[in-house]
């Protein structure tokens, strides 16, 4: 077999991978905007009107956010495991759709207690999308470029806060006493939409990039054995977890 017939497919995969990685980066940024932004950190603008409508207290509004964050913490521990077992693309999509549905459902809540349940489920769903997204985006870039790629990807989160700080006040002004309900529905719809975008774009990274080698095959992360006990016993993991908790 001629040498060039062996080398050409590898070069093609490397070239296509480097270009497609930019689309993966875009999808990752949009996923962060949906799962970390619209589903988790943009809703406080809705809470004052929601508190009045449901005749609740400031403490309950704080507890509402706590339920969301608590669900996120739990699912963050499981998101990477699910992504490795079932594939990042599938887990990201399902998590985003569920997060969007539960976010929208919060707008239909007849009481703050029901809203808390929906926010717990939202946090559980959103966390399942974030960790696999980080992994799949990093896998599409060479090791020396992964830091920059991850930074760009995380930039989708503050952009979602910036966007919501514009359109949510406009909605609250124009839609009347029930505007907060519509706000939840809009946020949920955006999360679902961004989940569909992730489904259309996200693919597992080529092994030549994710493993740092020269293979032109497609990476199969589900086939890689993982000693989870070794991972969770590593002190660096808990150090980084502590840093994340502090910020």
């Amino acid at each position: 077999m001629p040498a060039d017939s062996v080398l050409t497919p590898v070069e093609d995969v490397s070239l296509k991978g480097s270009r497609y990685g930019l689309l993966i980066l875009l999808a990752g940024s949009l996923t962060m905007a949906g799962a970390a932004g619209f589903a988790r950190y943009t809703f406080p603008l809705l809470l004052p009107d929601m508190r009045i409508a449901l005749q609740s207290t400031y403490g309950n509004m704080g507890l509402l956010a706590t339920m969301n964050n608590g669900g996120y913490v739990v699912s963050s521990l499981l998101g990477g495991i699910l992504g490795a077992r079932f594939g990042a693309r599938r887990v990201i999509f399902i998590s985003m759709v569920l997060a969007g549905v539960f976010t929208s459902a919060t707008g239909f809540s007849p009481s703050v207690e029901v809203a808390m349940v929906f926010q717990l489920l939202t946090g559980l769903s959103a966390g399942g999308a974030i960790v696999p997204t980080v992994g799949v985006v990093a896998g599409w870039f060479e090791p020396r470029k992964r830091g920059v790629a991850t930074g760009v990807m995380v930039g989708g989160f503050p952009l979602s806060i910036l966007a919501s700080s514009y359109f949510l006040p406009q909605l609250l002004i124009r839609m009347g006493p029930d505007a907060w309900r519509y706000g939840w529905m809009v946020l949920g719809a955006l999360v679902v939409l961004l989940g569909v975008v992730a489904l259309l774009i996200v693919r597992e990274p080529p092994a030549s990039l994710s493993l740092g080698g020269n293979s032109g095959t497609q990476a199969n992360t589900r086939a890689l054995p993982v000693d989870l006990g070794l991972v969770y016993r590593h002190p660096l993991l808990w150090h980084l977890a502590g840093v994340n908790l502090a910020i």
Side-chain angles (χ1 to χ4, degrees), residues 1-204:
M1 180 180 294
D4 58 350
S5 64
V6 176
L7 296 177
T8 300
V10 175
E11 294 168 354
D12 287 346
V13 169
S14 178
L15 179 60
K16 292 178 181 178
S18 63
R19 292 175 178 174
Y20 198 77
L22 297 178
L23 279 178
I24 295 292
L25 183 56
L26 173 62
S29 296
L30 294 176
T31 299
M32 292 297 291
F38 295 133
R40 298 194 59 232
Y41 286 113
T42 60
F43 65 79
L45 289 171
L46 305 174
L47 297 186
D49 287 359
M50 183 179 183
R51 181 187 68 83
I52 295 173
L54 297 181
Q55 299 179 344
S56 187
T57 65
Y58 290 106
N60 281 338
M61 293 298 100
L63 187 56
L64 190 74
T66 299
M67 298 296 283
N68 186 303
N69 290 328
Y72 168 75
V73 170
V74 172
S75 61
S76 292
L77 298 175
L78 301 175
I81 300 174
L82 294 174
R85 182 176 179 83
F86 300 107
R89 177 171 174 255
R90 180 183 301 173
V91 172
I92 292 169
F93 172 67
I94 293 175
S95 297
M96 291 283 280
V97 169
L98 290 176
V101 168
F102 292 132
T103 298
S104 293
T106 305
F108 293 94
S109 300
S111 67
V112 70
E113 290 78 15
V114 174
M116 287 179 187
V117 173
F118 283 137
Q119 280 304 289
L120 175 63
L121 295 173
T122 298
L124 285 169
S125 303
I130 293 174
V131 176
T133 299
V134 174
V136 77
V137 169
W140 272 91
F141 291 87
E142 300 171 7
R144 63 188 178 89
K145 297 180 180 179
R146 286 174 184 171
V148 175
T150 303
V152 173
M153 176 197 67
V154 175
F157 164 47
L159 287 178
S160 66
I161 295 179
L162 182 63
S164 64
S165 67
Y166 172 76
F167 71 78
L168 283 181
Q170 298 297 321
L171 186 148
L172 291 171
I173 292 172
R174 300 181 182 184
M175 299 299 291
D178 288 332
W180 65 272
R181 295 187 183 275
Y182 300 124
W184 283 107
M185 297 174 200
V186 170
L187 292 176
L190 287 172
V191 176
V192 172
L193 176 62
L194 295 177
V196 173
V197 172
L199 178 67
L200 296 175
I201 296 179
V202 170
R203 297 292 185 275
E204 298 294 339

